Amino acid sequence: MAKRKSSPTMKDVAREANVAVGTVSKVINGIPVGKEYRLRVEEAIRKLNYRVNIYAQGMRSERTRIIQVVVPNLLNPFFAMLVHYTANELARRKYKTMLCTTDGDPDLEQSHILMAEQQMADGIICLSYSPSLRAPEGIPMVSIDRYFGARIPCVSSDNYGGGHLAAEKLMENGCRRLAFLRIGTSLASETNKRKDGFVSACEEHGVPYTLKLADDGTPYSVFEEFLREHARGGTLDFDGIFCVTDALACRIRTILQDMGFRVPEDVQIVGFDGVRDFGNMALPCSTIVQPLERIAETCVDLVLDGCLEKAPSLVCLPVSYAYGGTTRA
Amino acid sequence: MAKRKSSPTMKDVAREANVAVGTVSKVINGIPVGKEYRLRVEEAIRKLNYRVNIYAQGMRSERTRIIQVVVPNLLNPFFAMLVHYTANELARRKYKTMLCTTDGDPDLEQSHILMAEQQMADGIICLSYSPSLRAPEGIPMVSIDRYFGARIPCVSSDNYGGGHLAAEKLMENGCRRLAFLRIGTSLASETNKRKDGFVSACEEHGVPYTLKLADDGTPYSVFEEFLREHARGGTLDFDGIFCVTDALACRIRTILQDMGFRVPEDVQIVGFDGVRDFGNMALPCSTIVQPLERIAETCVDLVLDGCLEKAPSLVCLPVSYAYGGTTRA
């Protein structure tokens, strides 16, 4: 009589691989075992065509071990690096990364959050500038650079300290008339504290400063007009400029060089972020470096911890200054 | 008698939102409906605390609408841009992106593939240089830049044509002695065809050329030594250099400038990839531009098509030349 063929079980895999059932379970759940054991289990899984069926697993556990990571895009290297370190940290904890790029579309951001609520993910790490974003219910969420309220911990660099440090470094390098240039959201996001820290340092030291704040979507020509207005008679009204991002700092350097000014001899520039050319090469400008790996780790800690009621509402991580050619030191 | 409270159904949501059940289904499955309808359905879902339970859904359909995207890292902007466009294209087709970064670790790559086989994903788009990678069984996989065999379609730029075009552009710009510099895998990956196309163009035009090929992990100082050997007596043996990536082209420019050579006056450089500073700003060098959006779209087309037996084994997409300051034009 022919034996009825049924779906293989974890026990069948263990017998085939000549290992304990617990070893099979570990391999399936991505928990490290000796390489030889892993290869034997994998071989047995293939031979028996064993299928775990994550759905059945998920039905039992009500967990997916998936975290949604929501960012505007990966074209901006700052976002790309942040997602890189977050995905690595999640993988280290045996979690999977569901990547959601939104191009900043609030509807798309909201639909990703709705998806998570529908048991698609165990939590969300979100970098959003949407003013109306509704937080998920029943799912932990951690926000980067944007404070949504006490229920949602926000992780960011010490933006205030970074702005303060940028002004101090420019002054240490001999600058006596400073400017701060910003393009970005006018929302009360964490990044706006860069300006506040900068202003505070200028006022502490009695150094005059000028602010030029442009909203997202403004063409960069507004900065060129601003600089030309402040360069009548051939000398620039400032000898030190702090830009809200490295991307802006690099643009401003090009504009100034096209106007005939030397960087850093005539005017020094400090950016913010600490992104590197090609991810691992030179800094494109002197900058305030964000601790991206620590930001990623902290977000993962908080979202996996789950007890977000007890979590701090804001975690600011320390920044540092790095020389990158657009200042004297 | 109190009514027994049971889990809300899709019908309950439709009644609450005053829409058809089909509309609720569309919203849940991410199919576009009028914004007002969507908002009403979302509101009803929240009010009733309706949970879709993707596991039950997945048990029925045996599909996850998840595609695994496996890349070495997101620090390299080429990988980051590729993942960006792939995630956007998948989202447009209502698929989700499971991001797997591997740092090139073959064991990690293999475990991601095993995960997909265990019904974690409906398919895999993979950029791997691992020589021993085992293809998944029962799940479609598409490879980028690396040919694994007939069962796994490979999508890449026209690397041969790009190498040919780079040599031609250098010759058009007046170069008479060329060099090709490569760092990377010595595996028979698609990117090695850049060299072959370059050599072919040089030979067609009778222009002498030199090759310097270094394996992954070699320090960049080998290129500096190579260039110094070819710069005895103050002039460089080459007036045109093709580098296998933009990252290498930018390093080589810095090395040459530190040696006292002017770029592009003394020596012209062409890179490969077409990445932009900060994702959307200037090209860091003259380059052969890879059509990243089309590569992403093609990978998604192929992996979702599923009938990979009928798919072409190699799809090469056309590249173009772009001026970026390191050539005369």
Side-chain angles (χ1 to χ4, degrees):
Chain A
M1 196 174 93
K3 198 178 159 193
R4 196 173 67 88
K5 201 182 166 190
S6 63
S7 288
T9 65
M10 214 185 273
K11 266 189 190 163
D12 297 327
V13 174
R15 197 177 304 121
E16 176 69 31
N18 198 20
V19 299
V21 173
T23 307
V24 178
S25 167
K26 279 181 183 169
V27 171
I28 287 166
N29 289 295
I31 296 161
V33 301
K35 184 168 178 176
E36 204 208 316
Y37 286 102
R38 183 170 59 74
L39 291 176
R40 262 155 60 189
V41 171
E42 288 180 9
E43 183 56 36
I45 284 174
R46 275 196 295 283
K47 188 169 170 193
L48 301 179
N49 198 26
Y50 172 70
R51 292 281 177 262
V52 173
N53 198 333
I54 58 149
Y55 300 112
Q57 232 182 5
M59 291 280 274
R60 282 195 302 272
S61 72
E62 298 198 336
R63 300 196 65 175
T64 58
R65 295 191 81 85
I66 294 172
I67 300 295
Q68 280 191 353
V69 177
V70 181
V71 291
N73 63 66
L74 297 180
L75 302 180
N76 180 325
F78 175 71
F79 299 145
M81 290 166 76
L82 200 54
V83 173
H84 173 85
Y85 292 121
T86 303
N88 278 8
E89 184 63 21
L90 285 169
R92 211 177 60 78
R93 317 275 193 102
K94 304 297 168 199
Y95 275 76
K96 293 173 276 289
T97 300
M98 185 78 79
L99 172 66
C100 309
T101 52
T102 62
D103 282 323
D105 178 340
D107 283 354
L108 214 51
E109 289 172 346
Q110 200 63 67
S111 80
H112 286 308
I113 287 177
L114 187 71
M115 213 157 71
E117 286 177 326
Q118 291 164 12
Q119 306 188 357
M120 191 67 239
D122 293 347
I124 303 176
I125 297 172
C126 181
L127 198 162
S128 162
Y129 302 115
S130 163
S132 59
L133 198 72
R134 185 184 59 74
E137 287 173 29
I139 302 271
M141 172 164 142
V142 174
S143 167
I144 299 173
D145 269 353
R146 170 82 192 290
Y147 183 70
F148 281 97
R151 262 186 62 225
I152 304 188
C154 171
V155 179
S156 81
S157 290
D158 180 1
N159 286 297
Y160 186 93
H164 201 277
L165 182 59
E168 282 187 327
K169 284 290 166 185
L170 287 168
M171 293 186 275
E172 271 176 44
N173 278 309
C175 299
R176 291 294 166 259
R177 290 150 300 140
L178 301 187
F180 171 69
L181 308 186
R182 188 208 74 196
I183 188 156
T185 172
S186 55
L187 274 177
S189 79
E190 273 302 302
T191 52
N192 276 323
K193 294 185 183 170
R194 294 174 196 170
K195 177 196 66 171
D196 301 332
F198 170 85
V199 166
S200 152
C202 291
E203 295 188 342
E204 278 168 34
H205 291 80
V207 164
Y209 64 89
T210 307
L211 306 177
K212 177 66 183 173
L213 311 177
D215 282 343
D216 268 335
T218 311
Y220 281 88
S221 56
V222 299
F223 293 112
E224 187 166 349
E225 285 159 28
F226 169 80
L227 293 169
R228 287 197 187 281
E229 276 167 26
H230 286 275
R232 303 195 198 279
T235 52
L236 195 62
D237 291 346
F238 330 111
D239 53 8
I241 299 178
F242 171 42
C243 295
V244 73
T245 60
D246 291 342
L248 183 60
C250 290
R251 290 256 189 173
I252 295 300
R253 175 180 49 193
T254 304
I255 292 172
L256 287 168
Q257 286 171 339
D258 289 348
M259 288 169 68
F261 294 106
R262 294 168 305 162
V263 177
E265 294 83 351
D266 301 326
V267 54
Q268 301 182 63
I269 304 174
V270 173
F272 200 106
D273 280 344
V275 301
R276 287 178 176 275
D277 290 335
F278 296 100
N280 64 355
M281 285 170 52
L283 290 167
C285 58
S286 298
T287 187
I288 304 300
V289 182
Q290 298 208 49
L292 285 175
E293 292 189 61
R294 281 195 63 189
I295 291 176
E297 280 169 27
T298 306
C299 287
V300 170
D301 276 344
L302 287 169
V303 83
L304 297 189
D305 190 37
C307 306
L308 296 186
E309 295 78 22
K310 293 178 197 160
S313 60
L314 177 62
V315 180
C316 283
L317 297 168
V319 295
S320 56
Y321 171 78
Y323 169 75
T326 55
T327 48
R328 290 191 192 156
Chain B
M1 197 175 90
K3 198 178 162 195
R4 196 172 66 88
K5 202 181 167 189
S6 63
S7 289
T9 66
M10 214 185 274
K11 266 190 193 167
D12 297 327
V13 174
R15 197 176 305 121
E16 176 69 33
N18 198 20
V19 299
V21 173
T23 307
V24 177
S25 168
K26 280 182 182 168
V27 170
I28 286 165
N29 289 296
I31 297 162
V33 300
K35 185 168 177 178
E36 204 207 319
Y37 286 102
R38 183 171 58 72
L39 291 176
R40 260 154 62 187
V41 170
E42 288 179 10
E43 182 57 36
I45 285 172
R46 275 195 297 282
K47 187 168 170 195
L48 301 179
N49 199 27
Y50 173 69
R51 291 281 178 262
V52 171
N53 198 333
I54 59 149
Y55 299 112
Q57 230 180 6
M59 290 280 274
R60 282 195 301 271
S61 72
E62 297 197 338
R63 302 196 65 175
T64 58
R65 295 191 81 84
I66 293 172
I67 300 295
Q68 280 191 353
V69 177
V70 182
V71 291
N73 63 66
L74 296 180
L75 302 181
N76 180 325
F78 175 71
F79 300 145
M81 289 167 77
L82 200 54
V83 173
H84 173 84
Y85 292 121
T86 303
N88 278 8
E89 184 63 20
L90 285 169
R92 211 177 60 77
R93 316 277 194 102
K94 305 296 167 200
Y95 275 76
K96 292 171 276 289
T97 301
M98 185 79 79
L99 172 68
C100 308
T101 52
T102 62
D103 281 323
D105 178 340
D107 284 354
L108 214 49
E109 288 172 347
Q110 201 61 69
S111 79
H112 286 308
I113 286 176
L114 187 72
M115 213 156 73
E117 285 177 324
Q118 290 165 12
Q119 307 189 358
M120 191 66 239
D122 293 346
I124 302 176
I125 297 172
C126 181
L127 198 163
S128 163
Y129 302 115
S130 164
S132 59
L133 198 72
R134 185 185 59 74
E137 288 173 28
I139 302 271
M141 171 162 141
V142 174
S143 167
I144 298 173
D145 270 352
R146 171 82 192 290
Y147 183 71
F148 281 97
R151 262 186 61 226
I152 304 189
C154 172
V155 179
S156 82
S157 289
D158 180 1
N159 286 296
Y160 186 92
H164 202 277
L165 182 58
E168 282 189 327
K169 284 289 167 185
L170 287 168
M171 293 186 275
E172 272 177 42
N173 279 310
C175 299
R176 292 292 166 261
R177 291 150 299 142
L178 300 187
F180 171 68
L181 308 186
R182 189 209 71 196
I183 187 155
T185 173
S186 54
L187 275 178
S189 78
E190 272 302 302
T191 52
N192 277 324
K193 295 185 182 170
R194 293 173 196 170
K195 177 194 65 173
D196 301 332
F198 170 84
V199 166
S200 154
C202 291
E203 296 189 341
E204 277 167 34
H205 291 81
V207 164
Y209 63 89
T210 306
L211 306 177
K212 177 65 185 175
L213 311 177
D215 282 343
D216 266 335
T218 312
Y220 281 88
S221 55
V222 298
F223 292 112
E224 186 165 352
E225 285 158 27
F226 169 81
L227 293 170
R228 286 196 187 282
E229 277 167 25
H230 286 274
R232 301 192 201 280
T235 52
L236 195 62
D237 291 346
F238 331 111
D239 53 8
I241 300 178
F242 171 43
C243 295
V244 72
T245 60
D246 291 341
L248 184 59
C250 290
R251 289 254 190 174
I252 296 301
R253 176 181 46 192
T254 303
I255 292 171
L256 286 168
Q257 286 172 339
D258 289 349
M259 287 168 69
F261 294 106
R262 293 168 306 161
V263 178
E265 293 83 351
D266 301 326
V267 53
Q268 300 182 60
I269 305 174
V270 172
F272 200 107
D273 281 345
V275 302
R276 288 178 176 275
D277 290 335
F278 297 102
N280 65 355
M281 284 168 56
L283 289 166
C285 57
S286 299
T287 187
I288 305 299
V289 182
Q290 298 208 50
L292 285 176
E293 292 189 61
R294 281 194 63 188
I295 292 176
E297 280 169 26
T298 306
C299 288
V300 170
D301 276 344
L302 287 168
V303 83
L304 296 190
D305 191 36
C307 306
L308 295 185
E309 296 79 22
K310 294 178 198 160
S313 61
L314 177 62
V315 180
C316 284
L317 297 169
V319 295
S320 56
Y321 171 78
Y323 169 75
T326 55
T327 49
R328 288 189 196 157

